[in-house]
Amino acid sequence: MGVRVGTEERIADEILIVGAGVVGASVAYHLTRSGHRRVTVLDARDRARLPGSTGLAPGFVGQLSATPELTVLARDSVATYRTLAGTTPEPVFHQVGCLEVATDPARLEQAHRDVEQGTRAGLPARVLGPAEAAALAPALVDADRALGALYLPTDGAADPAALTHALVEAATNGGARFRFDTPVRALEIENGRVVGVRAGADGELLRAGRTVLATGIWGPVLAARAGARLPMVAVQHPYLYTAELPGLDDTPIDGPIVRYPDHAVYTRRHGRRYGLGSYAHQPLPLTPSATLGSAELPFRETDFGTALAEATALVPAFRTAPRGRRLNGAFALTPDELPLVGPAPGVAGLWCAEASWVTHAAGVGRQLADQLLSGGAPLVDPERLAPDRFADWSDERISSTALGHYRGIYDAH
């Protein structure tokens, strides 16, 4: 009996994390940092690839938001990324600042209000004139079109792949086990409770007291098999790179990231290329399936061509540069733009760390680790991130409300 009880206690203490992207790796990192070593992370990919949203993310990390919880999660994420940056041979985070460029008077007035909001949130901020803004990022800001810019010096750009690998390594050193090339086939349910997963080609049963979904757009697919609904919508999004340019070297980024909130455009340098994305198009929802092997989808000119043409006319570097890779990546939205962090609705033993970006991933990891371990005071009121907070909403209302936030997602208001 003693052996059996010991085995049951060991299983109850085990935490399985499904998904080794930046969010799943962050949960494992924070669990091990808190001293919990019974952590196993499963991922269908091989260790070198990131086919999910993490691998496609352009790495913008902006902390100021009209939603206080997002600011808290982003600030905590930046603190973690800066800590990791001091322990890795390759940079994972570049604290180069952010310019939010105003091209109309109303936005410039808002920039002055944002300085006050940033001060209250503990984020330094100031408004720059057009010439000063253009001097910080001459390839990305046109002084003739800018009326000024909000400057947030503690924002920056992450390298999502390097960051994820750093989190994986740190979590491994802390005792976590990562199993790549191990796709999760199904959640294992006994007496209405998730008790683990079926994984790998042979459907091996891996038992755990708690199972965490950190699978991005695939979260609802797995959750639905356990009878849980995750209130999130996958949406498609375009990003464009220039070709490699002769005047640029391998320096990842040498100036601030730049956003144009009036135009729903954002842009930055990526070593020898520049990149930009645009939200100025109709939202394009996606229904993920278990057979969708990547978060990158075919790029359709009819969906994104007009938005990208307008964006490239706005950014000086793109007006004459030859075009490079165009991608269509999918990520998840919720009706209030907040991630889903905590126990899954209606299914014991299942937890979520879903609908989070690189911007907030480390904060989300800390938030969930504290909840799983019943640790100290959480960063954010758990009820604000609870996956069941839209339990009485219809699927249609969840989808329409979430998609309604798409264009303004990079705006602080």
Side-chain angles (χ1 to χ4, degrees), residues 63-76:
Q63 300 166 89
L64 185 62
S65 172
T67 306
E69 292 85 357
L70 290 178
T71 297
V72 170
L73 292 171
R75 288 192 66 196
D76 188 78

Side-chain angles (χ1 to χ4, degrees), residues 298-355:
F299 186 98
R300 294 182 297 272
E301 182 70 24
T302 53
D303 293 329
F304 306 124
T306 299
L308 290 184
E310 293 174 352
T312 55
L314 183 67
V315 181
F318 279 84
R319 292 174 187 164
T320 57
R323 302 294 185 255
R325 183 185 178 195
R326 302 183 304 175
L327 64 84
N328 172 15
F331 62 85
L333 288 172
T334 64
D336 57 6
E337 300 183 38
L338 290 168
L340 307 176
V341 185
V347 183
L350 184 63
W351 296 69
C352 300
E354 294 284 5

Side-chain angles (χ1 to χ4, degrees), residues 64 109-127 150-152 413:
L64 185 62
E109 291 178 12
Q110 183 61 55
H112 287 281
R113 291 193 291 271
D114 289 341
V115 171
E116 299 175 7
Q117 181 186 343
T119 300
R120 290 193 296 271
L123 294 171
R126 59 191 175 99
V127 175
L150 174 69
Y151 180 49
L152 297 153
H413 321 286

Side-chain angles (χ1 to χ4, degrees), residues 28-277:
Y29 169 80
H30 283 293
L31 285 169
T32 58
R33 292 272 290 182
S34 296
H36 191 88
R37 291 173 173 79
R38 301 209 64 81
V39 179
T40 300
V41 187
L42 308 174
D43 200 289
R45 63 184 172 89
D46 65 62
R47 188 179 183 120
R49 294 181 61 248
L50 288 171
S53 297
T54 297
L56 302 174
F60 287 66
V61 180
Q63 300 166 89
L64 185 62
S65 172
T67 306
E69 292 85 357
L70 290 178
T71 297
V72 170
L73 292 171
R75 288 192 66 196
D76 188 78
S77 296
V78 166
T80 296
Y81 301 160
R82 292 191 67 192
T83 297
L84 284 170
T87 65
T88 60
E90 76 182 294
V92 299
F93 180 67
H94 307 269
Q95 198 163 36
V96 292
C98 174
L99 291 171
E100 292 196 354
V101 180
T103 59
D104 69 36
R107 173 59 59 179
L108 187 59
E109 291 178 12
Q110 183 61 55
H112 287 281
R113 291 193 291 271
D114 289 341
V115 171
E116 299 175 7
Q117 181 186 343
T119 300
R120 290 193 296 271
L123 294 171
R126 59 191 175 99
V127 175
L128 307 182
E132 191 177 2
L136 286 177
L140 305 178
V141 178
D142 184 344
D144 292 334
R145 291 202 62 175
L147 300 181
L150 174 69
Y151 180 49
L152 297 153
T154 63
D155 285 355
D159 180 327
L163 173 61
T164 303
H165 293 315
L167 289 165
V168 169
E169 182 174 358
T172 300
N173 291 339
R177 297 166 299 284
F178 284 78
R179 292 182 56 176
F180 293 96
D181 297 305
T182 308
V184 170
R185 306 296 181 185
L187 301 174
E188 186 74 4
I189 303 171
E190 295 179 2
N191 300 319
R193 179 184 181 88
V194 172
V195 295
V197 301
R198 294 280 178 177
D202 58 355
E204 177 188 3
L205 174 58
L206 301 173
R207 290 185 172 272
R210 287 152 293 179
T211 299
V212 176
L213 294 181
T215 54
I217 61 173
W218 292 278
V221 178
L222 278 171
R225 296 174 183 173
R229 183 186 69 163
L230 299 187
M232 53 191 271
V233 178
V235 65
Q236 302 172 59
H237 178 68
Y239 199 79
L240 171 68
Y241 294 91
T242 66
E244 290 192 356
L245 302 176
L248 300 179
D249 58 22
D250 291 326
T251 303
I253 185 168
D254 59 354
I257 60 177
V258 175
R259 293 179 179 153
Y260 287 87
D262 303 338
H263 304 270
V265 169
Y266 60 102
T267 182
R268 61 162 288 195
R269 178 179 169 182
H270 298 267
R272 297 178 183 270
R273 305 175 294 169
Y274 292 103
L276 65 73

Side-chain angles (χ1 to χ4, degrees), residues 11-16 36 193 208-212 349 351 372-373:
I11 291 173
D13 199 37
E14 184 73 36
I15 297 176
L16 274 178
H36 191 88
R193 179 184 181 88
R210 287 152 293 179
T211 299
V212 176
W351 296 69
L372 287 166
L373 302 179

